[in-house]
Amino acid sequence: MSKNFHKFPLQNETLQFEIYNLMKMMKKLKFLAVLWLVASSSLLAQELESPNGQLEMEFSLLKDGTPTYDLEYKDKDVIKQSKLGLDLKEEKDLLKNFTVADVQTSTYDETWEPVWGEQKEIRNHYNEMAVTLLQEDTGRKMILRFRLFNDGLGFRYEFPQQKSLGHFVIDDEKTQFAMTGDHTAFWIPGDYDTQEYDYTESKLSEIREKMESSITANLSQTSFSPTGVQTSLMMKTDDGLYINLHEAALIDYSAMHLDLDDENMIFEAWLTPDVNGDRVYMVAPATTPWRTIIVSDDARDILASKMTYNLNDPIAIEDPSWIKPVKYIGVWWEMITGKSSWHYTNDFSAVKLGVTDYESAEPNDTHGATTEHVKEYIDFAAEHGFDGVLVEGWNIGWEDWFGHSKDYVFDFMTPYPDFDLEEIRDYAKSKGVEMIMHHETSSSVRNYERHMDEAYQFMKDNGYNAVKSGYVGDILPRGENHYSQWLVNHYQYALEKAADYEIMVNAHEAVRPTGIARTYPNLIGNESARGQEYQAFGGSKPNHVTVLPFTRLIGGPMDYTPGIFEMDISKLNPDNDSWVNSTIANQLALYVTLYSPLQMAADLIENYERFPDAFQFIKDVGMDWSESIYLEAEPGDYVTVARKEKGTDKWFVGNVNGETPRTSKIKFDFLDKGEKYIATIYSDAKDAHYKKNPQAYEIRKVVVTSKSKLSQKSAPGGGYAISIVPAEKGETKGLKKL
Amino acid sequence: MSKNFHKFPLQNETLQFEIYNLMKMMKKLKFLAVLWLVASSSLLAQELESPNGQLEMEFSLLKDGTPTYDLEYKDKDVIKQSKLGLDLKEEKDLLKNFTVADVQTSTYDETWEPVWGEQKEIRNHYNEMAVTLLQEDTGRKMILRFRLFNDGLGFRYEFPQQKSLGHFVIDDEKTQFAMTGDHTAFWIPGDYDTQEYDYTESKLSEIREKMESSITANLSQTSFSPTGVQTSLMMKTDDGLYINLHEAALIDYSAMHLDLDDENMIFEAWLTPDVNGDRVYMVAPATTPWRTIIVSDDARDILASKMTYNLNDPIAIEDPSWIKPVKYIGVWWEMITGKSSWHYTNDFSAVKLGVTDYESAEPNDTHGATTEHVKEYIDFAAEHGFDGVLVEGWNIGWEDWFGHSKDYVFDFMTPYPDFDLEEIRDYAKSKGVEMIMHHETSSSVRNYERHMDEAYQFMKDNGYNAVKSGYVGDILPRGENHYSQWLVNHYQYALEKAADYEIMVNAHEAVRPTGIARTYPNLIGNESARGQEYQAFGGSKPNHVTVLPFTRLIGGPMDYTPGIFEMDISKLNPDNDSWVNSTIANQLALYVTLYSPLQMAADLIENYERFPDAFQFIKDVGMDWSESIYLEAEPGDYVTVARKEKGTDKWFVGNVNGETPRTSKIKFDFLDKGEKYIATIYSDAKDAHYKKNPQAYEIRKVVVTSKSKLSQKSAPGGGYAISIVPAEKGETKGLKKL
């Protein structure tokens, strides 16, 4: 029994335990246990409820010794009885013939302080049940550990050290999530290599017919099933329950997708295979990641849930003082839009690092990462208070950087002839701006690992404290997938090694996060979804940003790169007719609605100079928070959140809106009572529209108090952003009250 | 044209070139050119002859623009007209539609000094022809570079930097070697993962029927064709020509096997594929390895050939003074025979490094690498003048070290609880003995590369200057092969990084060498063949060691680990009924016949203590040579060689014999005239026999001069060894003349 068992103020732990179980048993019996035991073929049911009593789960064995669980929320079924187990490759499966050898329950309640985050303190409070199973015919032991929080359930498989189970290969994880009906889901196609899809909103029963049209092109992609979807998966039931399925603490295991049996509405885990089709190589003692079910009848609770972080280990970095939120600009959007290029010359059909002679190559006129141009960005960053400048395309190798399965694609060390790294380094330092490193790996991960120590050391030697890494294209070792165990292991390796060098990591195209930033908060960002860049690759759905907080952001922050002010991309590059499906007010709101300790102002300097008043919000907005309050939320429709800046009394509010125009109604009762604040409201103009009139915004200053209310219209693809600053004496003069 | 063109003492190089070609054309015309041009469909024949005129080759194009070559030795066909070209995966093939755009010929003659070797100086003398081909329909350029030595032909494909050929994937290399008849071959089965096979001697036409029985079990093996064989392949023609096919300078390419069309007796290159079945990923500018044909009518010339080294680049290590031959003993044979174990405990079915608790584990009684036992070896090494002591099984992880596709299998740093690394390190130092590191990777190469810097640094910090590395079991990344490009690249990476740390490498189970030790002489050994260990795994053929010099040793030295004195392995381990198919005299001779700068005395101390007089030869034998003279040689039957120790006037002679008893007849005319030497002859006793009486040997001391002759009987699986030391005054007293 855990030493954290302290729910009951009794001295004797055994007694405590018995009373606890007795109470639970009696409660359960009253409602359904007897009936249920008769109706099903389950044996030996074990129940657990959440600290607030609103969630209840039950573990039981089928007659053939198959483990199962179910979950209820406020006495409504969330997960119907669902099977658990693992199909092994060579050994006998871990699916049935189990008996319960032991059950341990405990309660845990702690509060921890994240290095960065949406709130200053996070409560980690759950009741736990660890069921030790014995497989009768093999003598093998497996523990199923359930943690029931007020916001959901997490469970995992554990394999203690034992003689009869050492090495084993998982062929399939057979974990089920049996739905209670044909829910509405916000899903992206299951894929071993990319999450960069627009979300499709559909009934579960419609996934199959909508699959093909949901699979859009990507530089590396591998779909696997007509009903396969990715996590985190957001669903809404007809009776108003919000259910989110994902995983936590994905370490040395392959990423889990879900495959739907759309006759019975049962999801089953679908692990990303390796090159041989094997899913996971395990060495006991070992555990799987946590499988997570966040549930509530209020969508805002899903966004506020910290369960995914709580299921990860506490921080592993002794002194994390070097980890800090970063607001940055960069030489990037101009390449994304095709206005300029990553590569330096058009001379080469192939580059061989160390052999290809760049010094005698003819520079093209499109290379973005020139010393002069980067200095303009440094100047702009310094002038407007940005922490850092990211530069992509600074290092040799971009002429043939993807699509060739190229092994030695970058050395991460050698700048192009027109990028004077030392001059830029010194210039940035003199301006108080940090340079952000860029390590595109082109998914050649052996090459990256070979250079990693030297490349990280090179960063530290030159004052770079953060790296954006990229995994574009198919993986090398060839045949591996972005989300297979081999790669999951690699991303973690890169992250932990970065921690050794005190480097912050923002990994793009890597596996989606699963709360690992609790343990390694130097993981300040991931892409791992369809980011803003797709607005320059043909556009994303206008409501995309109202879905991301319910899906991609459940596991950790995203480097979405908000702040695009010019929606007509052809104005940057006549050959690109993409359109950014968003209003400027929506872009501003993203700095608040898409929580991240890493936020870019992604547009070109010249576009910010055209709209200095709107740009002011990006300059002002906080980056780290002591408190976050989700005011309104409905996946696919809208998200409104208020956040209090850590270390100040400033608040920032963001609202993003989907395709339907909507009036957001919020109260300011989160403000300190009796205090006056000046709120600057950046909202859509009346005629604003993501497509027809995206740059129509209004800015107004008003006085607000904890009694204020706002009724604010948001345009299609629009939204609003508010900065709220405690009013100094006399400042409110001439300003209206809201 | 190369600046080394100096065959003709003319000033004008163009004129030189024209005269050279004219002379060759006239010569050729006289004999066969006209006839041949009519008979074949070849166009534009280009000829080249060796510096001594004994070899002639011709390059020509077929009517469809397919490149071909042929080779003659003393006007006899060696290679009939054979096609050249590459089958590409996605691009148009590089097989036909070629025209000759340019032909450059030149002569090269240099002499270089190897850091270690069979001789002090090596002459690198060849005529070269570089044929630039233009593929008409694609505009792509490909150069075929031929180097014709007195001992054979090397040629390769070159792909200069060009717009129309950047990245390409080789599906198949279509290089042919068309034999003139049904030669006798000494071959091992083609295999992507192991060369650890006994050689089969057969007609080419018999390969197919003998293939199945030639494939014996290995921990990792992948055969591919019923007529697929490995290089270096040794053949003998019915009219007495010896032909050896291999490759040189295998760098960032996959290892070449040969597949026989046994109707037409044409070998074709068969490159080791990667996990997807692709052979090689190329980035221009690039070259293939050299394809080599060593040929002579005297088998001794094959052994003496240095062509393979000559086709490699000159040394890349600026100061190689730290590279030294090593004579060593070790805690190894006892594990190989099963007398003791690599692993420390029998407690664990699986080990998780950093988690598994060794300190509380129960030690087994079989662990070999204990501090006490290693000290015995250090004492013995010091007493008998050995340079080093190898210890395997010193580091944690051996409990489950292979067969589990285990990723994190070793850390290369953490000793077992009963191996006190620091105490051993200091003790060895105090005794003037160097410890030799052992890095078994279990073929988990990502894991090895991740630890490599730290592991090499750990070696240097603890006084280890040489490492034996191992690649037992199937490769990780899973699906890759031991000889695919991915792995070839890895072995080279490990070697070059070792050079950075001034570490000598002896890589077991790695790809067979191709003369790379010229460039990186810190590659002091490889296994890459069936070594002595197989004598404890059921035995090898008694004539195995008469084949190895003609095959495996063509590309570089082998860590065969000679010196076994106890042939009945059941005396070491009652459960092992293996028999070492060799006499003691044969074992002694191996130190001379199997050239290597790294030689082990592989047997247990107690076995050497039983035969101190025979052991004396192992103590005395030289390790580095100023001169080597192959006195007798016939593959499969016998090899006799005399070598002069570098820096002394001592000579050592070795003779190994196959299954048939034989009398070796040698002259000592290699000795300085007029000098007297004392020769100690270690020979088979009259009734010696590898199986029936292997420990029957005789030792006699005689006086020899340059006029001496020896007629010495060698038993089946036997041989003899001689040490020849210049006689000091008075030393010859009482000794007979030979």
Side-chain angles (χ1 to χ4, degrees), chain A residues 552-569:
Chain A
R552 165 61 185 77
L553 267 59
I554 293 294
M558 177 175 177
D559 184 29
Y560 180 80
T561 67
I564 297 302
F565 282 8
E566 179 51 68
M567 312 305 171
D568 180 357
I569 301 301

Side-chain angles (χ1 to χ4, degrees), chain B residues 122-146:
Chain B
I122 293 175
R123 188 175 180 191
N124 184 12
H125 187 198
Y126 57 80
N127 289 331
E128 177 174 295
M129 175 166 66
V131 182
T132 301
L133 298 172
L134 189 69
Q135 196 173 34
E136 297 212 302
D137 46 343
T138 65
R140 295 179 300 186
K141 256 192 244 176
M142 176 171 84
I143 296 168
L144 283 166
R145 190 176 300 275
F146 299 91

Side-chain angles (χ1 to χ4, degrees), chain B residues 606-714:
Chain B
E606 60 238 49
N607 290 331
Y608 290 134
E609 284 173 342
R610 287 164 60 202
F611 305 99
D613 53 352
F615 184 56
Q616 188 62 42
F617 180 80
I618 299 178
K619 293 168 62 174
D620 293 342
V621 67
M623 287 293 291
D624 200 13
W625 315 103
S626 56
E627 208 176 327
S628 289
I629 302 170
Y630 285 91
L631 302 168
E632 301 178 307
E634 184 64 29
D637 289 341
Y638 53 86
V639 170
T640 314
V641 61
R643 304 191 196 270
K644 187 180 184 188
E645 190 177 43
K646 205 183 268 180
T648 78
D649 287 322
K650 294 180 189 171
W651 285 79
F652 294 86
V653 176
N655 161 276
V656 287
N657 191 43
E659 284 231 53
T660 314
R662 175 177 174 272
T663 300
S664 166
K665 291 179 183 176
I666 61 169
K667 293 177 188 169
F668 289 77
D669 53 6
F670 49 81
L671 296 177
D672 286 351
K673 277 174 194 166
E675 289 292 324
K676 281 186 183 171
Y677 299 80
I678 296 171
T680 310
I681 304 174
Y682 303 74
S683 62
D684 291 320
K686 272 177 193 161
D687 54 350
H689 184 280
Y690 71 88
K691 191 79 190 178
K692 288 179 261 175
N693 198 13
Q695 290 173 328
Y697 61 85
E698 288 171 355
I699 302 173
R700 65 190 198 275
K701 278 197 183 186
V702 290
V703 177
V704 294
T705 67
S706 65
K707 291 176 183 166
S708 302
K709 291 177 187 178
L710 174 68
S711 185
Q712 180 67 49
K713 205 179 157 195
S714 288

Side-chain angles (χ1 to χ4, degrees), chain B residues 255-401:
Chain B
M256 180 181 75
H257 288 348
L258 297 171
D259 194 41
L260 179 66
D261 165 358
D262 53 0
E263 280 192 21
N264 300 299
M265 299 305 161
I266 297 173
F267 283 110
E268 195 169 274
W270 185 292
L271 302 180
T272 309
D274 77 354
V275 64
N276 292 328
D278 299 323
R279 310 293 166 144
V280 190
Y281 280 75
M282 299 287 276
V283 183
T287 67
T288 69
W290 296 92
R291 280 62 188 93
T292 61
I293 304 150
I294 306 174
V295 60
S296 178
D297 51 13
D298 185 336
R300 298 177 300 176
D301 294 341
I302 307 292
L303 302 181
S305 171
K306 292 290 164 281
M307 196 182 89
T308 312
Y309 282 115
N310 280 330
L311 286 168
N312 276 270
D313 283 343
I315 186 165
I317 296 169
E318 208 162 323
D319 173 12
S321 58
W322 49 274
I323 303 172
K324 294 190 173 93
V326 179
K327 196 187 288 183
Y328 73 105
I329 58 173
V331 181
W332 174 74
W333 187 245
E334 57 192 271
M335 281 89 91
I336 290 291
T337 56
K339 177 181 160 66
S340 60
S341 69
W342 283 274
H343 61 287
Y344 164 78
T345 175
N346 301 331
D347 280 3
F348 308 132
S349 59
V351 168
K352 203 157 196 168
L353 298 183
V355 175
T356 299
D357 179 16
Y358 275 107
E359 291 301 331
S360 66
E362 191 187 349
N364 58 30
D365 289 332
T366 56
H367 186 221
T370 66
T371 304
E372 194 187 352
H373 192 46
V374 170
K375 282 182 164 180
E376 291 168 16
Y377 270 80
I378 293 170
D379 288 340
F380 188 79
E383 186 185 342
H384 297 286
F386 286 88
D387 304 303
V389 173
L390 167 78
V391 183
E392 296 199 0
W394 67 275
N395 55 327
I396 59 170
W398 287 90
E399 284 69 22
D400 61 348
W401 71 283

